[in-house]
Amino acid sequence: MSNAPTQRIAVIGAGLMGAGIAQVSAQAGHPVVLRDVTDAALQRGLDGIRASYEKFVGKGRMTAEDAEAALGRITTTTDLGAVADADIVVEAVFEQLDVKEGVFRELDKLAKDGAVLASNTSAIPITRIAAATSRPESVVGVHFFSPVPLMRLVELVRGYKTSDEALAVARAFAEGVGKEVVVVNRDVAGFITTRLITALVVEAAKLYESGVATAEDIDTACRLGFGHPMGPLQTADLTGVDILLHAARNIYAETQDEKFAAPEVMARMVTAGDLGRKSGRGFYPYEG
């Protein structure tokens, strides 16, 4: 896929994002160790990777031999110490600062000197995460998008102390797994994409809550008026209303900017379990 050097990659977290990052890394020729806290979580991650490769084979996007070879490059473990040999460690755990800080404190002890420590966070400032380590110059944001195998964009985020070298290694890795890169030079909460979509979703939810228009009409206006492939409330349902509420609260806590103050309707939906497609109901009902 690329002439970028083959590096040993460790991915922390075998959920949807972590498994996707492991999948594209292995497909690009990197040996990958995928780590999670339980064997069950690792098995779910591997099953998802296998199913995705099978779809690619079925569509003629890769051969069965290449899929088998890529799977063979992935090893799984519950031992965080397995990061010791990795050139790049990508953290993809729950989007909460204290959880990520705990992971990075451990990575600081376990990862080899010179390893790039990357976070897949979509909204938390990299400088805050890097502060949990004694090597903030090695910490960089590498924000992939879901579903990782299909979405071409990666946001690279420079923390206050991120070195040019760490950023260059992260760029080569992201481009080597087939992604197009944008660089966030100032480490603001939400970066570029989460900040933009959160502001749009929050305003759309306010219009919906106050009865200005239906969810359908708000989304239709954005699709037909702006050429968006999906309206903001449909996007919230796809991403997870809980995830966007969490992002809005993170950005608001950092900025105190009222445009990120999520309306009550989003909090009520999350409390009631209306999280979007994954729960069967969000701004829209879903069957099956």
Side-chain angles (χ1 to χ4, degrees), residues 4 30 41 68 81 84 89 107 110-111 134 163 183 185 206 213 215 236 265 270 280:
H30 297 289
E68 205 55 44
V89 183
L107 294 180
L110 297 168
S134 63
S163 70
V183 177
N185 282 311
K206 286 176 182 173
V265 67
V270 171

Side-chain angles (χ1 to χ4, degrees), residues 7-10 31 33 80-89 110-112 115:
Q7 291 152 314
R8 292 184 294 279
I9 311 298
V33 60
L80 195 56
V83 303
D85 293 332
D87 300 302
I88 301 172
V89 183
L110 297 168
K112 69 182 182 183

Side-chain angles (χ1 to χ4, degrees), residues 152-155 174-175 178-182:
R152 287 182 56 212
L153 183 65
V154 165
E155 276 183 310
E175 290 177 345
K179 304 305 179 188
E180 201 158 317
V181 164
V182 295

